[in-house]
Amino acid sequence: SILAHNARFDYVLSRVWGLPRWRARIADTMVAAWLLDAERASISLSSLASDILGLSGLEFKDIVPKN
């Protein structure tokens, strides 16, 4: 099984990179979030992690220094 957030994007990108077709059951957390609450303001992974799990991720600006 494959668990992904926005699996369609990941699949298309993996094919562009020349990887073989996925031959597994795919669970997409972005689709699941939309199905559970289509009126939700955001179904981004960071929004779901924050709202549901109380977790916060790293911000791009904190990882990549400005020149």
Side-chain angles (χ1 to χ4, degrees):
S1 293
I2 296 174
L3 177 62
H5 189 80
N6 195 1
R8 182 177 183 273
F9 173 82
D10 297 336
Y11 177 77
V12 169
L13 193 59
S14 72
R15 297 295 290 144
V16 168
W17 289 343
L19 298 174
R21 291 183 61 205
W22 295 359
R23 300 203 185 278
R25 185 177 304 232
I26 301 167
D28 190 329
T29 55
M30 189 172 83
V31 173
W34 181 80
L35 289 171
L36 289 172
D37 185 1
E39 301 299 318
R40 183 180 178 83
S42 173
I43 55 173
S44 71
L45 187 57
S46 59
S47 173
L48 293 170
S50 175
D51 295 349
I52 297 170
L53 302 173
L55 300 174
S56 62
L58 299 172
E59 295 293 327
F60 183 79
K61 64 181 177 59
D62 298 331
I63 300 170
V64 179
K66 282 188 168 182
N67 291 335

